[in-house]
Amino acid sequence: MTGEPLFYRCPDCGEIIVANSRGREYGSPEEYPKISCCGEPLAPLEVCADPRLCAEHPMNFVIFGGYERNSARIEVEGGFHPMDQDHRIEWIYMRTFQGGQLKILPPGSRSFANFSFADHDAFVYCDRDICRMGREHCQFLCKRGMAAYAYCSQHGLFRMVLDGRG
C-alpha cells in the first residue's frame, strides 16, 4: 500500500500538489516536505476532524465493473453536494495500492468521480483468512485499505477509507 499522501493547495493560483510519503510515516509537521508555490511556502491540508462538518459531507463508494470489479465511484453527499463556483467539491483523490489518481470536478457538475484500476489495484489479494461471502461470491475483491479524499472549497479536506461496507 502506498503511504498517506499529503495535499497542498496554493491559495493564490489554486494549484494542487500531492506528495506521496512512499510508506514513510511523518512524525511531525517539521518532517513534511517543504513545498512552495507563487513564491510562498505551503502547509499541507489537514483532514477535517469536526464531526459536524464530516456529517455534512458524507462520502460513499461503489466498486463496479468487469470480471475483477476494476472501477470505483466515490460520491460526496450522494453526488449532490453544491457545485457552485464559490462552494463545491473541487477534486477527489483515490489512494490505491500502487499510487493514486486525482479527478478535478468542474463547477456545475455532480460531486462524484469514477476511478478505473489496473495491475495490482484492479485485483489484490484478500487479507481475510476466510471470506465471509465465500471467495466465489466476493463482490469487493479486496479494495479494502484504499482511501478517498475530497476537497470542499469552503470546508476543506475529507477522507474515507474503503472498508468493504460501501
Side-chain angles (χ1 to χ4, degrees):
M1 175 67 72
T2 57
E4 288 294 320
L6 293 173
F7 300 96
Y8 297 81
R9 183 176 181 281
C10 180
D12 294 328
C13 70
E15 184 73 26
I16 303 158
I17 300 160
V18 181
N20 187 326
S21 65
R22 295 185 181 94
R24 177 178 178 210
E25 294 294 327
Y26 296 110
S28 65
E30 293 80 31
E31 296 178 23
Y32 294 163
K34 306 300 180 219
I35 307 277
S36 38
C37 188
C38 296
E40 296 295 324
L42 301 178
L45 299 173
E46 296 288 329
V47 174
C48 181
D50 181 337
R52 182 186 60 80
L53 280 178
C54 291
E56 290 175 10
H57 294 79
M59 295 173 65
N60 66 308
F61 68 93
V62 176
I63 302 294
F64 67 96
Y67 176 72
E68 294 180 338
R69 306 273 188 224
N70 59 3
S71 298
R73 171 180 277 202
I74 306 299
E75 299 175 335
V76 180
E77 291 186 45
F80 295 101
H81 182 280
M83 292 297 284
D84 303 323
Q85 183 67 37
D86 296 330
H87 181 200
R88 72 180 197 274
I89 300 299
E90 290 185 10
W91 49 265
I92 299 175
Y93 180 89
M94 183 80 173
R95 179 187 60 127
T96 67
F97 294 96
Q98 292 185 292
Q101 300 177 41
L102 177 72
K103 301 282 180 117
I104 307 295
L105 305 179
S109 65
R110 297 219 11 234
S111 58
F112 71 83
N114 291 324
F115 297 88
S116 296
F117 306 122
D119 297 329
H120 293 290
D121 291 336
F123 180 82
V124 296
Y125 295 104
C126 185
D127 63 356
R128 285 190 247 168
D129 291 334
I130 299 171
C131 184
R132 292 183 201 120
M133 297 173 62
R135 295 197 190 280
E136 67 277 7
H137 301 291
C138 182
Q139 298 297 302
F140 200 58
L141 294 180
C142 275
K143 307 295 188 273
R144 287 183 298 121
M146 291 184 178
Y149 300 81
Y151 181 77
C152 174
S153 60
Q154 287 194 359
H155 301 109
L157 185 64
F158 297 89
R159 178 179 185 261
M160 170 187 64
V161 175
L162 279 66
D163 65 5
R165 293 179 294 215

